Amino acid sequence: MGVEIVNQSPQKMGPSEALVETLAVNGVTHVFGIVGSAFMDALDIFPAAGITFVPVAHEQGAIHMADGYARASGRHGVCIAQNGPGVTNFVTGVAAAYWAHSPVVFITPETGSMSIGLGGFQETEQLPIFSKITKYQGHVNNPKRMAEIAARCFDRAMLEMGPTQLNIPRDFFYGEIEATIAKPMRISHGPGATEALDAAAATIAAARFPVILAGGGVILSGATAEAIALAELLGAPVCNSYLHNDSFPASHPLSVGPLGYQGSKAAMKLIAQADVVLALGTRLGPFGTLPQHGLDYWPKQAKIIQIDTDPRMLGLVKPISVGIHGDARAAATALIERLQGRTLAAAANRAERGAQIAAEKQAWETELNAWTHERDPYSIEVARDSKYMHPRQLLRELEKAMPANAMVSTDIGNICSVANSYLRFEAPRSMFAAMSFGNCGYAFPVICGAKIAVPKRPAFAYVGDGAWGISFNELLTCAREKIGVTVIVFNNGQWGAEKKNHVDFYSRRYQGVNLENPSWAGIARAFGCEGVTVDRLADVAPALKAAAHAQSEGRTTVLEVMVTQELGDPFRRDALSKPVRSLEKYKAYV
Ligand SMILES: Cc1ncc(C[n+]2csc(CCOP(=O)(O)OP(=O)(O)O)c2C)c(N)n1
Ligand SMILES: [Mg+2]
């Protein structure tokens, strides 16, 4: 596809107009940020371009909201900040968006071109900081190039599915230039190489126990229907890749749930038997297939067919038999064409496999129903005299009470991780977990951005009380901007996920893991939001319902749910070892 020009011939305009016109032509409706003198000239004309500026409490909130907006809508998320400190406040959020594959364009005005390097006010080199967490960095080195470079940031964010930076010396917003506004360029990745698709089809046709692993690429490419068609053609179980529980409809008989930390045992037991795995739109990240529940399930003897739009992901983490550099949807379509009407080895034992899939799913549900609390000695001890809810029972209750078509974001923490077993979705773009960057404080601003993008869908954030301390400042934004979301704050009085390491590896020598919380419900009310404390299971569903209703009136509710201090399996048993001390003064610390 060539570049189509919106205003066909160059036209006189200011660089700010060139920038804002580029935003408009890319369909930008909202820009998140904190006001700053550096970009006021562009900000001034946002309303005339139909763009709403969403003022936030902290720039990290802005970039996370842009991320959530992008993940929920499939369109660009955009944010902007004051040069220097505003821009450095973006760093964590850019890294998070990078690993969430979010097409976020973050605009970073910098020190004026005539004073760069003099050590003036709010000056830092703004490109090196982001160099490893962006897909592209556009630097406007001359105001005449504003439209061209801004357009490239938007195009590349979509092409490579990740954040791009638009860096603009602040004096370059002013003046008069000749500019053409390019129509957005959307390049399709296509299905991949013919030979690779042929080889994949032959491998799948010969498979006796094919399993599909549906990754984030299924969501990004809109391949749900193709994934269903492929699964049904083969009678293959479909696992969700880690933290992408919305990559395949949970109610489908072939859906077996997520792999990875706190994932589905049914998924793990079934993929362990695979002779062929079709990894559809997944980079097979190293954390996504870590052993869980004592199951080392990855089928090392199986042939792996991996499809990804980023060729550098092919065979990176796991050895593969066939690598397809292509779009998940286009590749799935090409495979269906090749497999339809062909003799499939899997047809011979289809009924038997179907029965096995149903049995494994049933067994996992039965186990989850009975798994009302954790059973390790620490958990039994702390829960014994507690009047609060068991986290697992609470999570089951939330699952049952969740309205249809809900969007849920999840933070990093022990209870949020255990939630992986209880989060089921029918539609893509429904689950927004903090992905591989793993920063506490992700979920709340992300769900705010998602809600702004898709206001009709009910929106929930799962957040631990520690992570809540990092992110609750954006309640200010919710109250002021009338963003209606629901936050479920798991109040267990601890940075639980890290405390688990103290329990397992450091003989319960606790340091910095116990929290003394204020009333989080009271804090929410002080911010002008709703705040409700829930400490009985019977109150969970009614409270969630009321909170969901408040969303439709633009009101945010914090449901502070009181839970015991018990802790589920740790995230990273692989990354810690029992301490070894050699010096006398540290001898007791084992
Ligand atoms: C920004 C950031 N700081 C620190 C960590 C390390 N960390 C991972 S999980 C965790 C504890 C989370 O506690 P909480 O949010 O209360 O949830 P819980 O584990 O208690 O369910 C911490 C501190 C992190 N992931 N991100
Ligand atoms: Mg906690």
Side-chain angles (χ1 to χ4, degrees):
M1 185 173 104
V3 184
E4 285 179 59
I5 305 295
V6 171
N7 60 316
Q8 292 286 337
S9 51
Q11 207 176 318
K12 235 183 213 144
M13 62 182 87
S16 285
E17 292 171 288
L19 171 63
V20 174
E21 279 293 285
T22 306
L23 302 188
V25 82
N26 277 281
V28 174
T29 58
H30 293 80
V31 175
F32 302 91
I34 292 181
V35 69
S37 55
F39 57 91
M40 263 185 189
D41 196 63
L43 179 65
D44 185 46
I45 55 173
F46 277 10
I51 297 168
T52 304
F53 180 67
V54 183
V56 300
H58 187 295
E59 285 87 355
Q60 185 178 338
I63 178 101
H64 284 326
M65 287 185 206
D67 183 352
Y69 181 103
R71 292 182 74 178
S73 67
R75 300 193 304 271
H76 294 97
V78 184
C79 54
I80 192 163
Q82 177 75 348
N83 54 291
V87 169
T88 54
N89 276 351
F90 274 164
V91 175
T92 297
V94 173
Y98 183 87
W99 289 108
H101 310 288
S102 288
V104 166
V105 178
F106 62 104
I107 305 172
T108 59
E110 73 169 13
T111 305
S113 63
M114 294 307 291
S115 59
I116 285 177
L118 300 183
F121 190 54
Q122 298 178 326
E123 176 172 2
T124 187
E125 279 194 54
Q126 294 183 175
L127 292 169
I129 297 171
F130 296 101
S131 64
K132 301 291 183 192
I133 45 177
T134 41
K135 296 292 187 181
Y136 173 70
Q137 295 180 287
H139 174 68
V140 178
N141 65 331
N142 186 305
K144 291 180 190 149
R145 299 187 68 187
M146 180 75 93
E148 173 208 338
I149 292 168
R152 191 160 302 123
C153 286
F154 279 89
D155 292 345
R156 294 266 173 101
M158 279 296 168
L159 180 68
E160 297 196 37
M161 280 298 155
T164 60
Q165 178 180 9
L166 177 57
N167 198 56
I168 311 167
R170 45 185 294 172
D171 50 324
F172 288 1
F173 283 90
Y174 302 99
E176 206 169 53
I177 58 170
E178 296 264 318
T180 49
I181 307 300
K183 192 174 172 192
M185 187 167 67
R186 299 289 169 263
I187 307 292
S188 106
H189 290 275
T194 303
E195 319 83 75
L197 290 161
D198 289 345
T203 305
I204 295 168
R208 294 191 56 79
F209 206 112
V211 174
I212 297 174
L213 177 50
V218 172
I219 298 163
L220 294 174
S221 69
T224 304
E226 289 74 9
I228 294 172
L230 205 46
E232 289 178 353
L233 186 65
L234 301 168
V238 182
C239 309
N240 309 107
S241 72
Y242 180 49
L243 298 179
H244 286 301
N245 298 13
D246 53 347
S247 66
F248 197 78
S251 66
H252 193 286
L254 292 169
S255 165
V256 296
L259 292 182
Y261 185 32
Q262 296 289 353
S264 148
K265 277 193 190 173
M268 295 172 197
K269 288 184 177 165
L270 288 161
I271 203 169
Q273 299 173 55
D275 58 349
V276 172
V277 174
L278 176 61
L280 184 60
T282 166
R283 68 186 178 95
L284 296 172
F287 271 44
T289 55
L290 281 182
Q292 271 300 300
H293 309 301
L295 301 169
D296 192 1
Y297 52 84
W298 187 256
K300 294 179 189 70
Q301 306 308 318
K303 293 195 164 119
I304 312 294
I305 300 162
Q306 188 186 7
I307 300 168
D308 204 291
T309 48
D310 181 352
R312 288 174 296 189
M313 295 302 127
L314 298 174
L316 177 66
V317 179
K318 301 271 187 224
I320 57 173
S321 302
V322 184
I324 299 175
H325 172 203
D327 169 79
R329 183 174 175 197
T333 305
L335 288 175
I336 292 165
E337 279 163 11
R338 282 166 171 75
L339 291 167
Q340 260 164 355
R342 190 161 171 168
T343 308
L344 302 172
N349 57 3
R350 188 181 176 113
E352 198 183 305
R353 276 179 303 122
Q356 209 185 335
I357 292 166
E360 289 296 359
K361 287 174 71 169
Q362 189 51 52
W364 176 231
E365 284 315 307
T366 306
E367 184 171 348
L368 274 183
N369 283 335
W371 198 348
T372 50
H373 62 90
E374 304 298 350
R375 294 165 192 139
D376 58 286
Y378 164 84
S379 291
I380 288 176
E381 201 179 304
V382 291
R384 190 177 295 133
D385 298 320
S386 173
K387 56 183 192 301
Y388 294 139
M389 293 175 279
H390 294 297
R392 282 185 178 273
Q393 280 186 312
L394 165 71
L395 291 166
R396 197 57 151 177
E397 207 59 29
L398 287 170
E399 177 197 343
K400 286 193 244 159
M402 207 39 88
N405 204 25
M407 304 187 284
V408 183
S409 68
T410 59
D411 221 296
I412 296 293
N414 191 271
I415 300 176
C416 281
S417 299
V418 174
N420 196 27
S421 295
Y422 305 90
L423 285 166
R424 293 135 197 243
F425 301 97
E426 292 307 307
R429 301 196 182 280
S430 298
M431 179 177 179
F432 313 118
M435 305 304 292
S436 304
F437 196 58
N439 63 303
C440 288
Y442 180 84
F444 173 44
V446 161
I447 205 67
C448 294
K451 182 73 179 184
I452 286 174
V454 194
K456 284 206 167 65
R457 294 184 67 186
F460 302 85
Y462 283 11
V463 188
D465 50 357
W468 184 238
I470 297 181
S471 51
F472 73 95
N473 54 353
E474 296 303 341
L475 285 175
L476 288 169
T477 309
C478 289
R480 189 181 51 221
E481 302 302 314
K482 304 200 172 14
I483 304 165
V485 299
T486 302
V487 192
I488 293 106
V489 177
F490 302 117
N491 188 340
N492 61 3
Q494 57 189 1
W495 291 99
E498 298 298 355
K499 191 179 202 173
K500 180 69 177 159
N501 295 323
H502 287 168
V503 172
D504 288 351
F505 293 92
Y506 296 95
S507 305
R508 304 192 187 182
R509 286 187 298 275
Y510 299 135
Q511 286 212 64
V513 289
N514 291 320
L515 296 167
E516 277 174 41
N517 290 319
S519 159
W520 286 122
I523 295 276
R525 291 192 293 271
F527 273 78
C529 297
E530 310 290 326
V532 181
T533 306
V534 179
D535 53 16
R536 292 187 329 157
L537 275 184
D539 296 335
V540 172
L544 199 79
K545 199 168 171 204
H549 177 73
Q551 290 189 22
S552 56
E553 294 168 355
R555 280 181 292 128
T556 281
T557 306
V558 172
L559 294 181
E560 179 184 24
V561 292
M562 308 305 291
V563 286
T564 75
Q565 295 202 308
E566 65 199 85
L567 291 165
D569 263 0
F571 190 19
R572 304 221 52 192
R573 241 191 255 284
D574 66 308
L576 287 132
S577 327
K578 283 281 179 203
V580 177
R581 314 291 180 200
S582 303
L583 301 181
E584 199 49 46
K585 73 195 262 206
Y586 304 122
K587 277 269 157 72
Y589 290 79
V590 287

